[in-house]
Amino acid sequence: MNTSVVIKGSKNGLIVVLDPQVEFNALKEDFAKKFADSAGFLGSCKTAVRFEGRKLTQEEEIALVNLISENSSLEVVCILDEDPLRNQGFVQAVNKSLMDQSGTTAVFHKGNLRSGQVLETETSVVYLGDINPGATITSNGNIVILGALKGNAFAGASGNRDAFVFALDMAPMQIRIADMIARSPDGPDRSQQKESKIAFLEDDNIYIESVTKSVLNDIRVG
């Protein structure tokens, strides 16, 4: 029995335990087969996933998430880590993004936006990957970035002042919400620890705050 990939359930989604000794390409084959064999049991839903057992790069995480999509009916909307407080913030932020003001669900994109590339959506968007310097992501609703925001983000493009921008690593060149714009200072200090933050509009100012339960509870979803 192959135990290089073990799938477990949790209250926040799936836990996937990976053998640290197996070469990654071989692990991907086992991973794909495991999810294909378990597809009927896992069903069809949006879920969060946490990888345990080995350290993964962001590219490896994205590759595994793609394999989940290709070999099951699951849609991964969040990758969790081992910090329970941060996980709570991730789950709440993603759930809020799915409550788009039009009543439709958010769109989901994977990859990395590079300089000069633009992604525009009519509804809220959950983006798995990085928005690199010179790239722009625009949404009429909320923006949740499960990666780094180093470029430009424009939420509430249709005028929704209750929209917000969430990123696991918040270091934007520019954030715009509705008709308000905030620019980062020149030469941001990237030596600082990466931190999940959320940007929202209040009293005609854009605030960028660390993700806490109280901050998330105060965010309006119009």
Side-chain angles (χ1 to χ4, degrees):
M1 180 177 175
N2 192 329
T3 59
S4 63
V5 179
V6 177
I7 304 173
K8 301 179 180 180
S10 75
K11 65 179 182 179
N12 287 330
L14 294 179
I15 299 172
V16 184
V17 183
L18 306 171
D19 190 329
Q21 305 302 322
V22 178
E23 192 271 332
F24 187 69
N25 285 333
L27 182 73
K28 286 198 300 181
E29 294 181 7
D30 295 341
F31 188 95
K33 186 176 187 306
K34 185 71 171 182
F35 272 88
D37 291 344
S38 305
F41 172 76
L42 294 171
S44 175
C45 65
K46 293 181 173 65
T47 188
V49 64
R50 186 171 86 223
F51 297 115
E52 294 184 354
R54 66 188 288 159
K55 185 71 173 178
L56 298 171
T57 66
Q58 186 177 70
E59 289 74 17
E60 288 173 339
E61 287 183 339
I62 291 174
L64 294 182
V65 167
N66 286 337
L67 287 176
I68 294 175
S69 299
E70 293 167 3
N71 292 278
S72 74
S73 297
L74 298 175
E75 181 177 334
V76 177
V77 297
C78 186
I79 298 177
L80 303 178
D81 62 17
E82 296 182 0
D83 185 321
L85 179 61
R86 196 155 55 233
N87 287 344
Q88 183 181 44
F90 297 169
V91 171
Q92 289 191 43
V94 170
N95 286 342
K96 283 179 178 293
S97 79
L98 296 176
M99 294 160 52
D100 181 76
Q101 60 270 27
S102 66
T104 60
T105 57
V107 294
F108 181 75
H109 287 269
K110 299 185 290 288
N112 293 303
L113 280 187
R114 306 191 183 283
S115 180
Q117 292 183 316
V118 177
L119 173 66
E120 297 181 354
T121 69
E122 294 295 323
T123 64
S124 295
V125 57
V126 178
Y127 193 90
L128 177 59
D130 294 340
I131 311 300
N132 288 299
T136 300
I137 183 169
T138 300
S139 168
N140 285 344
N142 306 313
I143 297 173
V144 171
I145 299 169
L146 304 180
L149 172 57
K150 302 175 185 178
N152 307 311
F154 183 8
S158 60
N160 178 16
R161 293 170 66 87
D162 288 339
F164 64 83
V165 178
F166 170 90
L168 299 188
D169 180 12
M170 181 76 83
M173 297 176 64
Q174 181 187 100
I175 284 182
R176 181 174 176 181
I177 299 176
D179 55 345
M180 303 302 296
I181 298 176
R183 293 181 175 85
S184 64
D186 293 336
D189 183 3
R190 296 299 296 157
S191 65
Q192 295 180 358
Q193 185 176 5
K194 297 178 181 179
E195 187 176 5
S196 305
K197 293 185 177 182
I198 191 165
F200 56 94
L201 182 60
E202 186 173 300
D203 298 328
D204 289 334
N205 290 302
I206 293 177
Y207 295 91
I208 300 178
E209 303 283 352
S210 298
V211 174
T212 64
K213 184 176 181 180
S214 61
V215 168
L216 287 170
N217 286 339
D218 289 340
I219 297 298
R220 300 182 301 274
V221 181

